[in-house]
């Protein structure tokens, strides 16, 4: 058998390899350019998303921006033809429960706000002509993965969920359509989360019981119970005994369920409120002192774990910047300042304002014994302290979870007793200089009177 060997010049092999490489590079560039185009999708000016932001549904557009959903909806518009059910402005302004609206706008509940808004959008175009008839009912999955039911009433009214469509085909665009509805659609998960926060189900709230009797001589229970504490039972000892040893600790009792078995995760709640304070902005100095300069954050976590509640009066950064080096350099001064801004009660902006409106002036106990902080009404708000050291309620309800309440104020508070003591010390140190008038002798005074009777006293300068 004959074998034939074919010779291929090196130049031919080189050109073949070169062509293969160029083909692979061009395909890779096309794929990368297509990926970049898909990632950097630009919304058309005729898009339904732009029409929603420019429409008369201003409340929905405002919530959409607060929920940080613009980029998510841009990607949804690129992939689907959307149907948006927009509640009328009155449904969000007046008809919505103010407590529920406050819950949605809290920084820590942005996930619930996003779920509520995405519940009003389905990735399918459904116009009024495509609406199911009376005998039919269709279910669509919304962008929040919650089912949304579309039906029709006997009167011909179109129904979505539990809301009537009042403006069908309100806005029509090539990539979507907007229907106006009479009320807000609330998914079940958001409603459950709101009820859990409001009813404090996450901390196993129990029926309130009577306060324990404390012996004032020993600061202990008169008849201690031999039975173990039930989960969620109120704290046995006042907050003074629960706190870590140290100067100026308050003996103020704080109501609320708790116990020595740590049924509450106080450390997690304190971390949550510190993170919310930093995310809110303007309170970095106060948070830095609580976490780094002192150990108050750890003490608060232990107290909340035992079932106690606290209200934090947090001065903003502008107020903290006014503190002098002398006020912070004294031993224990940062702790004393922080303790004076901790109230062993759970107070919100509404409860404090109602109290000062009713009683005029309210004294709140603090964790700095025996000093109290005075609150009164001023200019439609709550003012703490008096005189030049007063501070106003600046940012109400920054953080409220049923155990810890954070209220932002625009000044650093100091006890009134300390200011008065400083004034008294300054008055004692001041020595008034009294110029005493020289007194003449008794005999010389009688002689001058006798000379004056004869009119001769003017000759003697001593009598003058």
């Amino acid at each position: 058998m004959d074998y034939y060997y074919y010779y291929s010049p090196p130049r031919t092999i080189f050109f073949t390899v070169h062509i293969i490489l160029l083909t692979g590079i061009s395909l890779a560039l096309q794929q990368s350019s297509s990926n970049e185009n898909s990632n950097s999708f630009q919304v058309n000016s005729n898009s339904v998303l732009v029409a929603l932001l420019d429409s008369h549904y201003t409340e929905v557009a405002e919530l959409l921006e607060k929920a940080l959903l613009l980029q998510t909806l841009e990607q949804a518009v690129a992939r689907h033809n959307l149907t948006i059910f927009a509640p009328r402005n009155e449904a969000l302004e007046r008809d919505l429960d103010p407590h529920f609206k406050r819950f949605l706008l809290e920084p820590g509940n942005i996930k619930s706000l996003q779920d509520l808004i995405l519940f009003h959008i389905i990735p399918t175009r459904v116009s009024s002509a495509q609406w199911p008839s009376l005998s039919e009912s269709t279910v669509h999955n919304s962008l929040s993965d919650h089912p949304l039911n579309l039906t029709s009433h006997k009167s011909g009214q179109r129904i979505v969920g539990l809301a009537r469509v009042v403006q069908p085909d309100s806005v029509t665009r090539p990539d979507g359509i907007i229907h106006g509805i009479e009320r807000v659609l609330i998914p079940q998960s958001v409603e459950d989360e709101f009820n859990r926060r409001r009813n404090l189900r996450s901390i196993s709230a129990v029926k309130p019981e009577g306060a324990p009797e404390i012996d004032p001589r020993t600061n202990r229970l008169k008849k201690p119970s031999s039975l173990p504490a039930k989960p969620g039972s109120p704290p046995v000892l006042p907050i003074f005994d629960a706190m870590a040893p140290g100067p100026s600790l308050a003996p103020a009792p704080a109501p609320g369920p708790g116990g020595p078995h740590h049924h509450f995760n106080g450390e997690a709640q304190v971390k949550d409120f510190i993170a919310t304070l930093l995310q809110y902005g303007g309170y970095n100095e106060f948070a830095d002192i609580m976490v780094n300069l002192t150990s108050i954050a750890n003490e608060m976590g232990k107290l909340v774990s035992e079932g106690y509640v606290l209200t934090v009066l947090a001065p903003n950064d502008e107020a903290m910047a006014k503190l002098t080096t002398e006020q912070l350099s004294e031993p224990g001064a940062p702790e004393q300042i922080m303790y004076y801004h901790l109230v062993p009660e759970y107070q919100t902006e509404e409860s404090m304002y109602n109290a000062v409106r009713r009683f005029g002036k309210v004294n709140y106990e603090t964790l700095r014994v025996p000093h109290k902080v005075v609150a009164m009404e001023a200019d439609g708000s709550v003012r703490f302290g008096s005189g030049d050291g007063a501070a106003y309620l600046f940012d109400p309800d920054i953080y409220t979870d049923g155990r810890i309440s954070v209220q932002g104020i625009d000044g650093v508070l100091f006890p009134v007793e300390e200011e008065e003591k400083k004034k008294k010390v300054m008055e004692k140190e001041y020595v008034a200089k009294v110029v005493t008038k020289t007194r003449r002798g008794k005999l010389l005074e009688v002689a001058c009177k006798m000379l004056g009777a004869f009119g001769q006293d003017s000759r003697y300068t001593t009598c003058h």
Side-chain angles (χ1 to χ4, degrees):
M1 183 181 291
D2 298 330
Y3 295 93
Y4 298 94
Y5 297 92
Y6 295 93
Y7 173 73
S8 179
R11 182 177 297 177
T12 304
I13 298 174
F14 173 76
F15 279 113
T16 304
V17 174
H18 186 65
I19 291 172
I20 294 174
L21 289 176
L22 289 177
T23 305
I25 292 173
S26 62
L27 291 176
L29 290 176
Q30 290 178 1
Q31 185 176 1
S32 63
S33 63
S34 63
N35 292 336
E36 291 179 358
N37 292 333
S38 62
N39 292 334
S40 60
F41 173 76
Q42 298 295 330
V43 176
N44 188 7
S45 60
N46 197 28
S47 173
V48 67
L49 182 58
V50 177
L52 176 62
L53 297 177
D54 295 338
S55 66
H56 60 278
Y57 300 106
T58 55
E59 291 293 327
V60 177
E62 183 179 354
L63 289 180
L64 188 66
E65 294 179 357
K66 291 182 178 180
L68 306 177
L69 286 176
L70 292 178
Q71 185 177 1
T72 303
L73 294 183
E74 288 176 2
Q75 298 174 358
V77 168
R79 296 191 300 265
H80 308 285
N81 203 299
L82 303 181
T83 299
I84 303 175
F85 302 100
R88 54 195 180 92
N89 292 334
E90 292 79 5
L92 289 168
E93 289 178 350
R94 296 192 296 267
D95 299 344
L96 196 63
D97 185 9
H99 297 285
F100 181 70
K101 189 173 183 180
R102 183 186 301 175
F103 161 78
L104 292 176
L105 297 180
E106 289 180 358
N109 300 330
I110 188 171
K111 181 65 170 58
S112 299
L113 179 59
Q114 291 176 348
D115 290 342
L116 182 133
I117 294 177
L118 295 178
F119 187 57
H120 292 75
I121 305 173
I122 58 176
T124 306
R125 185 184 184 92
V126 181
S127 63
S128 58
Q130 299 171 337
W131 205 273
S133 60
L134 179 61
S135 60
E136 298 177 354
S137 176
T138 58
V139 179
H140 298 272
N141 280 334
S142 62
L143 293 183
S144 64
D145 294 333
H146 290 84
L148 198 57
N149 190 20
L150 305 184
T151 57
S152 297
H153 196 260
K154 294 181 180 180
S155 60
Q157 188 71 47
R158 300 172 180 85
I159 307 296
V160 50
L162 299 177
R164 293 186 299 108
V165 178
V166 294
Q167 293 180 347
D169 301 338
S170 177
V171 178
T172 304
R173 291 293 185 272
D175 57 354
I177 190 170
I178 300 177
H179 300 293
I181 58 178
E182 65 170 350
R183 56 180 295 182
V184 180
L185 303 175
I186 303 176
Q188 188 64 37
S189 62
V190 176
E191 185 177 355
D192 294 341
E193 179 67 17
F194 171 68
N195 292 331
R196 186 180 67 85
R197 292 288 186 90
R198 183 176 59 179
N199 299 331
L200 303 179
R201 292 177 181 174
S202 61
I203 57 175
S204 304
V206 297
K207 184 178 179 180
E209 299 179 359
E213 297 182 3
I214 306 296
D215 190 350
R217 297 172 298 177
T218 60
N219 202 24
R220 293 292 186 272
L221 287 174
K222 291 183 178 179
K223 297 179 180 180
S225 177
S226 58
L227 299 176
K230 297 181 180 180
S233 59
V236 175
L237 298 178
I239 195 171
F240 171 78
D241 295 320
M243 293 184 65
S248 299
L249 302 182
H261 301 288
H262 298 276
H263 301 291
F264 313 106
N265 192 352
E267 288 76 9
Q269 290 181 265
V270 171
K271 290 181 181 179
D272 189 20
F273 113 75
I274 292 292
T276 303
L277 203 62
L278 295 175
Q279 184 180 3
Y280 192 88
Y283 296 89
N284 297 335
E285 297 294 333
F286 184 80
D288 182 63
I289 292 179
M290 291 195 68
V291 177
N292 299 325
L293 195 58
T294 63
S295 60
I296 293 181
N298 295 330
E299 294 184 17
M300 288 181 60
K302 296 177 181 178
L303 290 175
V304 175
S305 298
E306 294 292 338
Y308 297 93
V309 293
L310 294 169
T311 297
V312 182
L313 304 178
N316 55 19
D317 289 344
E318 295 181 3
M320 297 296 292
K322 297 179 182 179
L323 290 175
T324 61
T325 307
E326 297 178 354
Q327 292 174 327
L328 293 174
S329 60
E330 297 180 2
E335 287 82 359
Q336 300 294 337
I337 296 175
M338 293 295 104
Y339 281 137
Y340 191 63
H341 290 78
L342 299 180
V343 178
E345 303 176 19
Y346 186 79
Q347 297 288 341
T348 61
E349 184 266 344
E350 182 180 0
S351 63
M352 288 190 293
Y353 184 71
N354 291 337
V356 296
R357 279 288 304 272
R358 181 178 181 183
F359 301 106
K361 182 184 293 185
V362 180
N363 293 324
Y364 290 105
E365 294 183 349
T366 65
L367 295 189
R368 183 177 178 182
V369 171
H371 304 292
K372 299 181 179 180
V373 60
V374 181
M376 61 187 68
E377 181 190 8
D379 300 330
S381 180
V382 182
R383 186 183 70 180
F384 300 96
S386 59
D388 297 335
Y392 286 84
L393 186 59
F394 191 70
D395 291 320
D397 297 340
I398 297 177
Y399 181 86
T400 51
D401 65 350
R403 312 301 304 168
I404 301 175
S405 172
V406 182
Q407 308 294 328
I409 58 178
D410 61 354
V412 181
L413 301 175
F414 290 95
V416 180
E417 292 82 354
E418 284 193 356
E419 296 181 0
E420 294 179 354
K421 187 182 295 184
K422 291 181 180 179
K423 291 180 180 179
K424 291 181 180 179
V425 171
M426 293 176 63
E427 291 177 357
K428 290 181 180 180
E429 292 179 353
Y430 175 76
V431 179
K433 295 182 179 180
V434 180
V435 180
T436 57
K437 186 177 179 180
T438 57
R439 186 178 179 183
R440 295 175 297 182
K442 193 68 176 176
L443 182 60
L444 182 60
E445 188 177 357
V446 174
C448 289
K449 287 182 179 180
M450 293 178 63
L451 292 174
F454 296 99
Q456 301 296 327
D457 59 338
S458 60
R459 296 183 179 182
Y460 301 96
T461 57
T462 308
C463 293
H464 296 283

